[in-house]
Amino acid sequence: MRTIILFLSACLLFSGTATAQQLTAAEYFVDTDPGTGNGTAVSVTSGNTASAQFAVDGTSIPEGFHTLSTRFKDSNGTWGLAVSRLFYVYGNSTGNSDPAPPIAAAEYFIDTDPGAGLATAFAVSQGDQVSATFSVDGSGLLEGFHTLSVRLKDTEGHWSLAVSRLFYVYGGGGGGTQPAPPIAAAEYFFDVDPGVGHGTALPTGAPQDVASVNTVIDASTLPIGTHVLNTRFKDTSGHWGIAEARPFVVLPPGALQNDECLGATVLPLQTYGACPGSGTPGSTEDATVSSASTCWGGEYADVWYQVNSGSSPQITIDVTEVSAQDVRVEVMDACDGNVLYCLSNFPQYWGATPNTTYWLRVFAATADGSFGICVSGAQADCLGELGGSATPGSACDDGDPLTINDQYQANCSCQGYDCYGVLGGPDVIGTPCLYSNALDGTPIYGVRDENCQCSWTDCEGLANGNDFPGQPCDDGIVGNNATYWSTACTCADYYDCNGVVNGPLVAGSPCLYSNALDGTPIYGVRDENCQCSWTDCEGLANGNDFPGQPCDDGIVGNNATYWSTACTCADYYDCNGVVNGPLVAGSPCLYSNALDGTPIYGVRDENCQCSWTDCEGLANGNDFPGQPCDDGIVGNNATY
């Protein structure tokens, strides 16, 4: 959305009688005045003065110069005159919508313009709106009045017009650096200057460098008509400043707001050919006479309008009479200024100076009444044709067959867009476009066709076919993993059983499914479902009798046996846990030593326990060699 942010302030308009009314409401309108009370309302806080910040939705406003007008209403229901400001909208909401480039740079100069880009730069943050605080070295300036000018540059390198402010230097140019004395007093007067110090005093408070006065000025004694309010300030050294003047109008109750030139209604400058359908309603009924007509003589009740020419070198005016008769227009260079043109037959046009405001004095020479008035510009188009159709946003041919939607830009250059709608972008017709990825992630590109669609020829030679790298295909080999088209357009890419592109773990590759008792790995083969399959030692598919599993060798008393790597039921753990070791059931086992050290052996039983028969014939008895015994001879030494 295009949005215009505004800060609005006002004080009470003067009327012919003194009342205690306050400002209670405000409204705005763009270009055409819908009549008092019919504009877009703006919220304000009631008071003698009022200020407001509000946003104007500009999305429906076409590109070009426009006028924003605001006015206030007091507690008596009386509306003030509309105050208007010219602004420019970038981008046409009905076609091209190029936004205004953001502001990127700023510079200032004093008195003499050195040329755009050659003044003193100061820092700003890039954006649609910028504000900055910067210091100006005034030590080399002579005492007296000077002009400080500031201008901004956008990201496309366009500089704005310079905005200038007058200032005064005290004690400059070698005359010392004496600061300006603070402000101590203020006064105002209407119309005629009574002399410094003889105006009506205004409250300024304690002396200060910057003074702001907020007060109500009594205008009840002023006659109806145009007046000038003048204000000036005095410093602590007794020096009075120059009076600043503001014209205003005191209107009788019920008077037309554009009865005087100071209250001139701002007319929007319509596009070429838009009149008279976009006319603004007007009327000379209840109007008063400003002065005798310069063009035709005589005095007529008149109403006032103003229009800014914007960038147009020509303005066309069209007046449609409703009840008014013989409507005539005097075109002036200022409010009550010099008459430039006398117009009585419509439509008529005059050569205009760009960005110039003209005042229109309108009256009906034969009979007062209502009418419609419309003004339009005749700006030269991008081909130099006055009122031509080759305007920014319209179609053109940039001479490049690879771009699309060529349009005239704001600077009247003809430029095309790429396939993504980027002005001057790289993705034009004929450039590569990604349309797939191979199984290994390799990007697969086609070419943008004349419609900016991505086109390609697939691996089977079909235009925009579906058999392209990364898509499934059939390699014709039964039992193979699912295959896909490769970057070389061969039906050879696949995911292995672990999801690795073109990895080794495919159907038919070895797979570990067990270990023999001695640790030897036992492998099967991956089937088409990536499951490990084998035939066990009994000949069963995926059976449980495979190396490392228990089996029965049929020999009573043997250690527990297991299937060997050769699929014989012969592997075992001996009594010390050694695979196929010597310490098995039936093997000798030392269970004692005779007195002379001779080892005495028994035999391991099926539980790997050492068993024997002792000297008394008892199984596992205690009377075995090396153990004490009684020889029956009294007095003999102990015997064994």
Side-chain angles (χ1 to χ4, degrees):
M1 175 184 289
R2 185 187 299 115
T3 302
I4 304 161
I5 305 296
L6 295 166
F7 297 89
L8 175 65
S9 63
C11 61
L12 280 174
L13 294 176
F14 300 117
S15 64
T17 58
T19 59
Q21 69 267 30
Q22 292 187 321
L23 299 175
T24 58
E27 66 180 9
Y28 76 86
F29 57 90
V30 177
D31 296 336
T32 303
D33 190 343
T36 54
N38 296 322
T40 302
V42 175
S43 177
V44 296
T45 301
S46 297
N48 293 327
T49 62
S51 62
Q53 177 183 350
F54 60 97
V56 177
D57 181 7
T59 54
S60 61
I61 302 176
E63 182 177 9
F65 283 98
H66 297 272
T67 303
L68 175 69
S69 302
T70 56
R71 58 186 163 216
F72 287 79
K73 184 176 72 171
D74 64 22
S75 54
N76 289 337
T78 301
W79 284 95
L81 299 177
V83 177
S84 302
R85 291 291 184 272
L86 194 68
F87 66 96
Y88 188 87
V89 170
Y90 281 83
N92 190 330
S93 61
T94 60
N96 182 31
S97 57
D98 293 338
I103 297 167
E107 66 179 9
Y108 76 87
F109 58 89
I110 296 175
D111 298 334
T112 303
D113 189 344
L118 302 177
T120 303
F122 61 90
V124 294
S125 297
Q126 181 171 311
D128 294 331
Q129 301 179 33
V130 299
S131 63
T133 300
F134 60 96
S135 298
V136 177
D137 181 10
S139 60
L141 297 176
L142 296 175
E143 181 173 7
F145 284 101
H146 296 272
T147 303
L148 173 67
S149 301
V150 175
R151 60 184 160 219
L152 306 174
K153 184 176 74 171
D154 63 26
T155 53
E156 294 183 356
H158 301 135
W159 283 97
S160 70
L161 298 177
V163 177
S164 301
R165 291 292 184 271
L166 196 67
F167 66 96
Y168 190 88
V169 171
Y170 280 83
T177 56
Q178 175 187 353
I183 296 169
E187 65 179 10
Y188 74 89
F189 59 91
F190 294 116
D191 301 334
V192 179
D193 191 343
V196 292
H198 298 293
T200 303
L202 291 170
T204 58
Q208 52 194 311
D209 292 332
V210 178
S212 176
V213 178
N214 184 356
T215 188
V216 176
I217 295 176
D218 182 11
S220 60
T221 60
L222 296 177
I224 293 171
T226 301
H227 297 274
V228 179
L229 172 65
N230 300 269
T231 56
R232 60 186 163 215
F233 291 81
K234 184 177 71 171
D235 62 26
T236 54
S237 296
H239 298 138
W240 282 96
I242 296 173
E244 183 173 351
R246 291 289 183 271
F248 65 95
V249 178
V250 175
L251 298 174
L256 294 173
Q257 291 191 9
N258 63 342
D259 190 46
E260 301 291 340
C261 68
L262 284 178
T265 298
V266 177
L267 295 175
L269 186 66
Q270 305 291 348
T271 57
Y272 182 77
C275 294
S278 301
T280 298
S283 174
T284 58
E285 294 175 337
D286 300 323
T288 60
V289 178
S290 298
S291 61
S293 169
T294 301
C295 295
W296 293 280
E299 295 184 346
Y300 305 95
D302 52 35
V303 288
W304 293 79
Y305 297 88
Q306 60 174 293
V307 61
N308 188 281
S309 59
S311 58
S312 176
Q314 176 180 297
I315 294 179
T316 298
I317 181 170
D318 200 352
V319 176
T320 303
E321 295 179 352
V322 181
S323 60
Q325 297 180 23
D326 194 10
V327 175
R328 304 180 186 186
V329 177
E330 293 178 341
V331 180
M332 299 183 178
D333 60 3
C335 178
D336 282 332
N338 298 313
V339 175
L340 304 177
Y341 305 100
C342 303
L343 310 177
S344 58
N345 295 307
F346 304 99
Q348 283 196 36
Y349 67 88
W350 72 86
T353 303
N355 295 317
T356 300
T357 298
Y358 295 89
W359 273 258
L360 311 177
R361 181 187 180 190
V362 180
F363 56 87
T366 302
D368 289 326
S370 58
F371 58 88
I373 184 170
C374 181
V375 288
S376 59
Q379 184 174 357
D381 69 3
C382 293
L383 298 179
E385 182 181 348
L386 200 63
S389 60
T391 56
S394 63
C396 61
D397 183 1
D398 66 355
D400 185 350
L402 303 183
T403 60
I404 63 172
N405 298 331
D406 303 344
Q407 292 180 352
Y408 286 111
Q409 304 304 307
N411 61 359
C412 273
S413 64
C414 182
Q415 297 183 47
Y417 292 80
D418 74 358
C419 292
Y420 287 117
V422 177
L423 183 65
D427 299 308
V428 296
I429 295 169
T431 56
C433 52
L434 178 71
Y435 71 93
S436 181
N437 286 281
L439 228 58
D440 61 1
T442 302
I444 309 299
Y445 293 96
V447 176
R448 292 181 177 85
D449 62 17
E450 66 275 8
N451 297 315
C452 278
Q453 302 298 314
C454 200
S455 62
W456 63 88
T457 301
D458 73 359
C459 296
E460 298 286 1
L462 294 177
N464 300 330
N466 293 322
D467 295 315
F468 48 79
Q471 292 293 94
C473 58
D474 183 2
D475 61 0
I477 303 175
V478 178
N480 264 13
N481 288 45
T483 49
Y484 300 83
W485 291 107
S486 70
T487 54
C489 266
T490 58
C491 188
D493 280 358
Y494 59 87
Y495 291 107
D496 76 355
C497 294
N498 278 356
V500 177
V501 175
N502 299 333
L505 307 181
V506 296
S509 63
C511 53
L512 178 70
Y513 72 94
S514 183
N515 286 281
L517 225 60
D518 60 1
T520 301
I522 308 300
Y523 293 95
V525 176
R526 291 180 177 83
D527 62 18
E528 64 273 11
N529 297 316
C530 280
Q531 301 299 315
C532 199
S533 62
W534 63 87
T535 300
D536 73 358
C537 295
E538 296 287 359
L540 294 177
N542 300 329
N544 294 322
D545 295 316
F546 48 78
Q549 293 293 93
C551 59
D552 183 1
D553 61 359
I555 302 174
V556 177
N558 265 12
N559 288 46
T561 50
Y562 299 83
W563 292 106
S564 69
T565 55
C567 264
T568 59
C569 188
D571 281 357
Y572 59 86
Y573 292 108
D574 75 357
C575 293
N576 276 356
V578 177
V579 175
N580 298 332
L583 306 181
V584 296
S587 63
C589 53
L590 178 70
Y591 72 93
S592 184
N593 286 281
L595 222 59
D596 61 2
T598 301
I600 307 299
Y601 293 95
V603 177
R604 290 179 175 84
D605 61 16
E606 65 273 10
N607 296 317
C608 279
Q609 301 297 316
C610 199
S611 62
W612 64 87
T613 300
D614 69 0
C615 297
E616 295 288 352
L618 294 177
N620 300 328
N622 293 322
D623 296 318
F624 49 77
Q627 290 293 92
C629 60
D630 184 0
D631 60 3
I633 303 173
V634 177
N636 264 9
N637 288 32
T639 53
Y640 298 84

